[in-house]
Amino acid sequence: MGHRLGPNTYGKAEIRLLHVDRDGPRHEVRDLTVGVTLAGAFDDTYLTGDNSAVLPTDSQKNTVYAFARRHGIGAVEDFARRLARRFVTAQPETVAHARVTVVEHPWARTGGHSFAAPAGEGRTAEVTATLQADWTVAGLTGLLLLKTTGSEFRGFLRDAYTTLPETDDRILATEVEARWRYGAAPGDWDAAHGAAREALIGTFGSTHSRSLQQSLYAMGGAVLDAVDEVAEVRLRLPNRHHLLVDLGPFGLDNENVVFHPDDRPYGLITGTVSREGAPPPGLAWV
Amino acid sequence: MGHRLGPNTYGKAEIRLLHVDRDGPRHEVRDLTVGVTLAGAFDDTYLTGDNSAVLPTDSQKNTVYAFARRHGIGAVEDFARRLARRFVTAQPETVAHARVTVVEHPWARTGGHSFAAPAGEGRTAEVTATLQADWTVAGLTGLLLLKTTGSEFRGFLRDAYTTLPETDDRILATEVEARWRYGAAPGDWDAAHGAAREALIGTFGSTHSRSLQQSLYAMGGAVLDAVDEVAEVRLRLPNRHHLLVDLGPFGLDNENVVFHPDDRPYGLITGTVSREGAPPPGLAWV
Amino acid sequence: MGHRLGPNTYGKAEIRLLHVDRDGPRHEVRDLTVGVTLAGAFDDTYLTGDNSAVLPTDSQKNTVYAFARRHGIGAVEDFARRLARRFVTAQPETVAHARVTVVEHPWARTGGHSFAAPAGEGRTAEVTATLQADWTVAGLTGLLLLKTTGSEFRGFLRDAYTTLPETDDRILATEVEARWRYGAAPGDWDAAHGAAREALIGTFGSTHSRSLQQSLYAMGGAVLDAVDEVAEVRLRLPNRHHLLVDLGPFGLDNENVVFHPDDRPYGLITGTVSREGAPPPGLAWV
Amino acid sequence: MGHRLGPNTYGKAEIRLLHVDRDGPRHEVRDLTVGVTLAGAFDDTYLTGDNSAVLPTDSQKNTVYAFARRHGIGAVEDFARRLARRFVTAQPETVAHARVTVVEHPWARTGGHSFAAPAGEGRTAEVTATLQADWTVAGLTGLLLLKTTGSEFRGFLRDAYTTLPETDDRILATEVEARWRYGAAPGDWDAAHGAAREALIGTFGSTHSRSLQQSLYAMGGAVLDAVDEVAEVRLRLPNRHHLLVDLGPFGLDNENVVFHPDDRPYGLITGTVSREGAPPPGLAWV
């Protein structure tokens, strides 16, 4: 039997870029990691090594740098869309869709022209474009959240392998990976991102949680409530277990005071929350 | 407008396990990292915090350890399948499908009961099971390959942002992430895995490469040729660029001798190669 | 010829600990990674396997947890000292000196009992104790700093391998690893740490830098000026190079606007700045 | 009080280099990460920003690449020494000593000109040179070792915080970080390294271990016995704990069969073994 080439993509990953805006009274810096992925009529290079339709990934990198110089950055969603559209319009007969992914690493000003990086947290944007349309997904990664009370885990199914005791008060901690799809462009991408982020943080804290799943659903719903243009929220929440240390052998009680934050294994909860009547996702998640 | 819960999963990630078989004349060790993912009728815990259908991820972990003791490990594909089927049959009305993912970390014997770990490379297995059927995907990760000649990149598309020169002799290097789907169970999982791995390594080396895409397609096809039961191969090949260092300022030539292996960015090539007439994937990749 | 056992230590590394103070109106959390190192008369276990003088590292771990419960945390310098003194006084005939190292991972309050982790930055403390005395070193790690102007690199030595052009305006960026030794205990460990940190950040920004070495010396001196009790400052500053991207081939200028932050290699600058007349270091750095 | 500049160094870290030897019938590849550190009369750049004695770290990088082209690699100890001597002789009035550190990443041949990387293990060499002399330290890093029996831990000291049970049969596992100092140059650096490495692996396996400390001392001594030119061995051995899983709740015994390899915390053992009458270390470890 013969072989058949199936779905395939190519592109450039992890293009590091620092942009300095020197036009105002104080410099502004933007620190991005950019990825480009193209899909389309690229079968020839796989099948025969004919590269005549292949734009080198080096040229994709050059385009990212040149666009940063020519157009600046602006909202990362705009920057990603500008690039995604470039790649699809530059080769309309070859590129079926282009995806540009941006992770922004924030810097905080500490002086006129000096900055410190306060966080491992990153703001993300992914734009997928065809000739006819484009879809925008925003998100964040590496946001650590923890609450010291207001979390229980009870009434769960027990089988022959269940030893976990029920608890009505535990530490709940996670590292949020969130992505939300816009059904329409908000008036202000940055404000929309800020409102979504605040909704995730606030709802994690204010929800009395009977399971991390319940917190997930509440957090996703809060993003939908906070930003009208968001159509759908996808969340990935590892359950970073905090184990109560047994201090009884040393004559000490331990009423939820001293914990061992365990590395592995960890529970992993994923879920999607979408707005009823939201427009279809198109290629947003492809 | 209301909210709607969409696709969701839960499970335990990165369960570390060492198994020692003490029955033979010499101990055998198996070192695994195991993940469990369940999908099905778990909406209640998201919507209301009702956990009555939720088997704790802690119990999933216990099951993994208990099964290792009760049944041993055997081929990782068998171990993954045994567990996946357990989770789906134990809660047939709730669990639509269970996926068990195994990464094996190899150890090489250095003495009667002593071992050294030779490699960052990992062997992988993923089994997805429903009540009616199951699907097996095997693979490997972290396999570094490099060739010093027999690789060119020419005749590519040039646009306004293209500065890359053509080359008829370059270093080609990658870190293989491969997964292949079995259409039927091979007689010997370990032998099949070994044959697939050898096909990847051998074909990378023997293919005169006009693009990494071409190498990818050849490597995928070689796995299909080497193992009859493989239906489909998915490959992810980062192009680890090796930049020729310019030694001209120091009065030295550099005819492909001294290179700078660059970290980032890197080209990223993905592709699927499937057997014509192969059975459909079912839930193998879901 | 015979063999001789030389310097040796043992201990427990990376003890993870979360402490929740529930006594006030709102919970307070402290998230630490603790290490213990003992040196002294432990030759027997190396030479013959006689463990009678060896307190298990498991017991060291238990002690850390029990002390957190019994005494709380307080300033990390105090917590480290309390533990270091415990290990040296509990085995006065065996332990010559004990070192306890603490890295604190900060959390920021987001609600009554909920928190977010804002930073990859860690606050560090190391206390080395003997029966007679102890020495305290504080510090920080993972503080990213960048300035967009006010940095030049000119007038350097050129040899046959020098191609670097001079520059009078470059990006200067680093990831600060700082440790400072106290000659005496400040009244408030937290305030002293805060003042030292601000001095590092402020001086990096305000110093017109002719070399990263010069910035290093100014930063070290600023810590000495800011905190009277600091006797000595040790700094390790990688020079995170930002390479100006050549956009000439695309008809674009690039007057210090678009940079490529390069991963490797990087310059690495270390240095010590001490106060004249400061007390000797004793075992602080051993 | 005034400030005083104390010990300081500068240099280039993590210079990545691939060298291809194309002279023989088959290509040979060498994959290195090189670091350069200089110490000496560099106070001016710290104190005033006067860089006239500062060879840019960029030039150091260029020198590494140029020397690879001009002289090839050979034994990594030779390569490191050649470079260290270059840096100290090129600026004899400024550089007090130069240290060059090399980590070699091994590749295994899989075909005429193709290779796979079998290991996370790295071979290391560090040479420190002054105008008058040089000192060579070789080593390895990332070597994972495990034994399934022949390891006990009993008779240890117990205090109020000790809960650890004694064991006469446990898993012993570690990740070896070894460095050994040569008192004289062996005839064949590669053969000496191989013999030292085999001694470490073999002795770990063959030693009936009453403590990891005892294994450490035996391993260090074995290197001294295996290579006459080695004067001193320094070992850092984390104790990678393998916790026996309690399967009693599931009606299963577990006689040292199923273990949980725990990530953190871990015991950490260090020690030095030296040859009686060995020459003094000079600047080998500075």
Side-chain angles (χ1 to χ4, degrees):
Chain A
M1 285 184 291
H3 305 162
R4 192 172 48 80
L5 178 66
N8 59 83
T9 66
Y10 88 109
K12 199 72 155 189
E14 298 190 39
I15 303 165
R16 298 279 295 118
L17 183 160
L18 182 84
H19 180 276
V20 183
D21 184 341
R22 298 171 181 271
D23 290 343
R26 302 194 301 181
H27 296 174
E28 305 287 341
V29 295
R30 307 294 299 278
D31 188 356
L32 310 180
T33 299
V34 183
V36 178
T37 309
L38 305 184
F42 296 108
D43 287 15
D44 284 353
T45 185
Y46 289 87
L47 302 180
T48 69
D50 175 349
N51 296 316
S52 56
V54 177
L55 182 72
T57 62
D58 188 72
S59 305
Q60 299 170 10
K61 180 192 72 177
N62 289 342
T63 305
V64 170
Y65 287 128
F67 270 47
R69 177 66 190 91
R70 197 186 297 277
H71 307 289
I73 306 294
V76 286
E77 291 85 354
D78 283 330
F79 184 65
R81 184 161 56 174
R82 200 175 295 125
L83 282 162
R85 293 196 59 77
R86 157 72 195 181
F87 291 117
V88 75
T89 55
Q91 288 181 269
E93 290 168 26
T94 308
V95 177
H97 68 258
R99 168 165 296 165
V100 173
T101 304
V102 179
V103 181
E104 175 159 12
H105 315 288
W107 289 91
R109 185 182 304 278
T110 59
H113 304 295
S114 52
F115 304 85
E121 186 186 336
R123 173 178 170 183
T124 64
E126 297 171 85
V127 175
T128 308
T130 66
L131 273 181
Q132 289 75 35
D134 55 71
W135 297 265
T136 301
V137 172
L140 54 82
T141 183
L143 172 64
L144 301 179
L145 296 178
L146 176 148
K147 59 191 297 187
T148 54
T149 191
S151 168
E152 52 184 72
F153 188 50
R154 295 191 291 180
F156 46 75
L157 184 69
R158 306 192 76 91
D159 71 0
Y161 296 108
T162 301
T163 55
L164 188 73
E166 303 203 328
T167 176
D168 60 2
D169 195 9
R170 63 170 181 175
I171 299 282
L172 187 66
T174 190
E175 180 174 346
V176 180
E177 185 179 308
R179 296 197 294 166
W180 52 89
R181 170 172 65 89
Y182 287 101
D188 181 329
W189 293 105
D190 295 345
H193 194 278
R197 183 177 179 276
E198 285 308 304
L200 290 167
I201 293 173
T203 305
F204 176 83
S206 62
T207 301
H208 183 89
S209 174
R210 281 184 286 264
S211 67
L212 184 51
Q213 286 92 328
Q214 188 189 21
S215 294
L216 182 152
Y217 185 70
M219 292 163 75
V223 173
L224 295 174
D225 289 341
V227 185
D228 288 345
E229 292 83 0
V230 172
E232 182 183 353
V233 183
R234 297 194 173 185
L235 290 163
R236 180 187 183 277
L237 300 182
N239 192 344
R240 293 162 59 113
H241 304 307
H242 284 67
L243 311 177
L244 195 66
V245 179
D246 178 12
L247 301 175
F250 321 123
L252 294 168
D253 64 12
N254 188 9
E255 298 283 345
N256 275 1
V257 173
V258 177
F259 295 88
H260 168 59
D262 205 29
D263 293 311
R264 298 192 292 181
Y266 51 89
L268 183 54
I269 313 296
T270 74
T272 304
V273 188
S274 58
R275 193 184 298 278
E276 291 189 3
L283 299 182
W285 304 110
V286 169
Chain B
M1 285 183 288
H3 305 162
R4 193 172 48 80
L5 179 65
N8 59 83
T9 67
Y10 87 109
K12 199 74 157 186
E14 298 190 41
I15 303 164
R16 297 281 294 118
L17 183 162
L18 183 84
H19 180 276
V20 184
D21 184 342
R22 298 170 180 275
D23 291 343
R26 301 195 302 180
H27 295 173
E28 304 287 342
V29 296
R30 307 293 297 280
D31 188 355
L32 310 181
T33 299
V34 182
V36 178
T37 308
L38 304 184
F42 295 108
D43 287 14
D44 284 352
T45 186
Y46 289 88
L47 301 180
T48 69
D50 175 350
N51 296 317
S52 56
V54 177
L55 183 72
T57 62
D58 189 71
S59 304
Q60 299 169 9
K61 178 192 71 178
N62 289 340
T63 305
V64 169
Y65 286 129
F67 269 48
R69 177 67 190 90
R70 198 186 297 275
H71 308 290
I73 307 294
V76 287
E77 291 85 354
D78 283 330
F79 184 66
R81 184 160 57 172
R82 201 176 295 124
L83 282 163
R85 293 198 57 76
R86 157 73 195 179
F87 291 117
V88 75
T89 55
Q91 288 181 267
E93 291 168 24
T94 308
V95 176
H97 69 259
R99 167 165 296 164
V100 173
T101 305
V102 179
V103 181
E104 176 159 10
H105 316 287
W107 288 92
R109 186 181 302 279
T110 59
H113 304 294
S114 52
F115 304 84
E121 186 185 336
R123 173 179 170 184
T124 64
E126 297 171 85
V127 176
T128 306
T130 65
L131 275 180
Q132 289 75 35
D134 54 71
W135 298 265
T136 300
V137 173
L140 54 81
T141 182
L143 172 64
L144 300 179
L145 297 177
L146 176 148
K147 59 190 299 188
T148 52
T149 190
S151 169
E152 54 186 69
F153 189 51
R154 295 191 292 182
F156 45 77
L157 184 69
R158 307 191 77 91
D159 71 0
Y161 296 106
T162 301
T163 55
L164 188 74
E166 304 203 328
T167 175
D168 60 1
D169 195 8
R170 63 171 181 175
I171 299 283
L172 188 65
T174 190
E175 180 173 347
V176 180
E177 185 179 306
R179 297 197 294 167
W180 52 89
R181 172 172 66 88
Y182 286 103
D188 182 329
W189 293 106
D190 294 346
H193 194 280
R197 182 177 179 278
E198 284 309 305
L200 290 168
I201 293 172
T203 305
F204 176 84
S206 63
T207 301
H208 183 89
S209 175
R210 280 184 287 264
S211 66
L212 184 51
Q213 286 94 325
Q214 189 188 22
S215 294
L216 182 151
Y217 185 70
M219 293 162 75
V223 172
L224 295 174
D225 289 341
V227 185
D228 287 345
E229 293 82 0
V230 172
E232 180 183 353
V233 184
R234 295 193 175 186
L235 290 163
R236 179 187 182 279
L237 299 182
N239 192 343
R240 294 163 56 115
H241 305 307
H242 283 66
L243 312 179
L244 195 67
V245 179
D246 177 13
L247 301 175
F250 321 123
L252 294 167
D253 65 12
N254 187 9
E255 298 283 344
N256 275 1
V257 173
V258 177
F259 296 87
H260 167 60
D262 205 29
D263 294 309
R264 298 193 294 183
Y266 49 90
L268 182 55
I269 312 296
T270 76
T272 304
V273 188
S274 58
R275 193 183 300 277
E276 291 189 4
L283 298 183
W285 305 110
V286 167
Chain C
M1 287 180 290
H3 305 162
R4 192 172 48 80
L5 178 65
N8 58 83
T9 66
Y10 89 110
K12 199 73 156 188
E14 299 190 39
I15 304 165
R16 296 280 296 119
L17 183 161
L18 182 84
H19 180 277
V20 184
D21 183 341
R22 297 169 181 274
D23 291 343
R26 301 193 302 180
H27 296 172
E28 305 287 341
V29 296
R30 307 293 297 279
D31 188 355
L32 309 180
T33 299
V34 183
V36 178
T37 308
L38 304 185
F42 296 107
D43 287 14
D44 283 353
T45 185
Y46 288 88
L47 301 179
T48 69
D50 176 349
N51 296 317
S52 56
V54 176
L55 183 72
T57 63
D58 189 71
S59 305
Q60 300 170 8
K61 178 191 72 179
N62 289 342
T63 305
V64 170
Y65 287 129
F67 269 48
R69 177 66 190 92
R70 198 185 298 276
H71 307 289
I73 307 296
V76 287
E77 290 85 355
D78 283 329
F79 184 65
R81 185 161 53 171
R82 200 176 295 125
L83 283 162
R85 294 198 58 75
R86 156 74 196 179
F87 291 118
V88 76
T89 55
Q91 289 181 268
E93 291 169 26
T94 309
V95 176
H97 67 259
R99 170 165 295 165
V100 173
T101 304
V102 179
V103 181
E104 175 159 11
H105 316 287
W107 289 91
R109 187 182 303 278
T110 60
H113 303 294
S114 52
F115 303 85
E121 185 186 337
R123 172 178 170 184
T124 63
E126 297 171 86
V127 175
T128 307
T130 66
L131 275 181
Q132 289 74 34
D134 55 70
W135 297 266
T136 300
V137 172
L140 54 81
T141 182
L143 172 64
L144 300 179
L145 296 178
L146 177 149
K147 58 190 299 188
T148 53
T149 191
S151 168
E152 52 185 73
F153 189 49
R154 294 190 292 181
F156 45 75
L157 184 69
R158 308 192 74 92
D159 72 359
Y161 296 107
T162 301
T163 56
L164 188 73
E166 303 203 329
T167 174
D168 59 2
D169 196 9
R170 62 171 182 174
I171 299 282
L172 187 66
T174 190
E175 179 174 346
V176 180
E177 185 179 307
R179 296 197 295 167
W180 52 90
R181 171 171 65 87
Y182 286 102
D188 181 331
W189 293 105
D190 294 346
H193 194 280
R197 183 177 179 275
E198 284 308 305
L200 291 167
I201 293 172
T203 306
F204 176 84
S206 63
T207 302
H208 183 89
S209 173
R210 280 183 286 266
S211 67
L212 184 51
Q213 285 93 326
Q214 188 188 24
S215 294
L216 183 151
Y217 185 69
M219 293 163 74
V223 172
L224 294 174
D225 289 341
V227 185
D228 288 345
E229 293 82 1
V230 171
E232 181 183 353
V233 184
R234 296 194 174 185
L235 290 163
R236 179 187 183 278
L237 301 182
N239 192 345
R240 294 163 57 114
H241 304 308
H242 283 67
L243 312 178
L244 195 66
V245 180
D246 177 12
L247 301 175
F250 321 123
L252 294 168
D253 64 14
N254 187 9
E255 299 283 344
N256 275 1
V257 173
V258 176
F259 295 87
H260 167 60
D262 205 27
D263 293 310
R264 298 193 292 184
Y266 50 91
L268 182 55
I269 312 297
T270 75
T272 304
V273 188
S274 57
R275 192 184 301 276
E276 290 189 4
L283 299 182
W285 304 110
V286 167
Chain D
M1 285 182 290
H3 305 160
R4 193 172 48 80
L5 179 66
N8 59 82
T9 66
Y10 87 108
K12 199 74 158 186
E14 299 190 41
I15 303 165
R16 297 279 296 116
L17 183 161
L18 183 85
H19 180 276
V20 184
D21 183 341
R22 298 170 181 273
D23 290 344
R26 300 195 302 180
H27 296 174
E28 305 288 342
V29 295
R30 307 293 298 279
D31 188 356
L32 309 180
T33 300
V34 182
V36 178
T37 308
L38 304 185
F42 295 108
D43 287 13
D44 283 352
T45 184
Y46 288 87
L47 301 180
T48 68
D50 175 350
N51 296 316
S52 56
V54 178
L55 183 72
T57 63
D58 188 72
S59 304
Q60 299 170 9
K61 179 191 72 178
N62 289 341
T63 306
V64 170
Y65 287 128
F67 269 48
R69 178 66 190 90
R70 197 185 299 274
H71 308 289
I73 306 294
V76 286
E77 291 85 354
D78 283 330
F79 184 65
R81 185 161 55 173
R82 199 176 296 125
L83 282 163
R85 294 197 57 75
R86 156 74 196 178
F87 291 117
V88 75
T89 55
Q91 289 181 267
E93 292 169 26
T94 308
V95 176
H97 68 258
R99 168 165 295 164
V100 173
T101 304
V102 178
V103 181
E104 175 159 12
H105 316 286
W107 289 91
R109 187 180 302 278
T110 60
H113 304 295
S114 51
F115 303 85
E121 185 185 336
R123 172 178 171 183
T124 64
E126 297 171 86
V127 175
T128 307
T130 66
L131 274 180
Q132 289 74 34
D134 55 72
W135 297 265
T136 300
V137 172
L140 54 81
T141 182
L143 172 65
L144 300 178
L145 297 177
L146 178 149
K147 60 190 298 186
T148 54
T149 191
S151 168
E152 53 185 70
F153 189 50
R154 294 190 293 182
F156 45 76
L157 183 69
R158 307 191 75 89
D159 72 359
Y161 296 107
T162 301
T163 55
L164 188 75
E166 303 203 329
T167 175
D168 61 0
D169 196 7
R170 63 171 182 174
I171 299 282
L172 188 66
T174 191
E175 180 173 346
V176 180
E177 185 179 307
R179 297 196 294 166
W180 52 89
R181 171 171 67 88
Y182 286 102
D188 181 330
W189 293 105
D190 295 345
H193 194 279
R197 182 178 179 276
E198 284 309 305
L200 291 167
I201 294 172
T203 306
F204 176 84
S206 62
T207 301
H208 183 88
S209 173
R210 280 183 286 266
S211 66
L212 184 51
Q213 285 92 328
Q214 189 187 23
S215 294
L216 182 152
Y217 185 70
M219 292 162 75
V223 172
L224 294 174
D225 289 341
V227 184
D228 288 344
E229 292 84 359
V230 172
E232 181 184 355
V233 184
R234 297 194 173 185
L235 290 163
R236 179 188 181 276
L237 300 182
N239 192 343
R240 294 163 57 113
H241 305 308
H242 284 67
L243 311 178
L244 195 66
V245 179
D246 177 12
L247 301 175
F250 322 123
L252 294 167
D253 64 11
N254 187 9
E255 299 283 345
N256 275 1
V257 173
V258 177
F259 295 88
H260 167 61
D262 205 28
D263 294 309
R264 298 192 293 183
Y266 49 89
L268 182 55
I269 312 297
T270 75
T272 305
V273 188
S274 57
R275 190 184 302 276
E276 291 188 5
L283 298 183
W285 305 111
V286 167

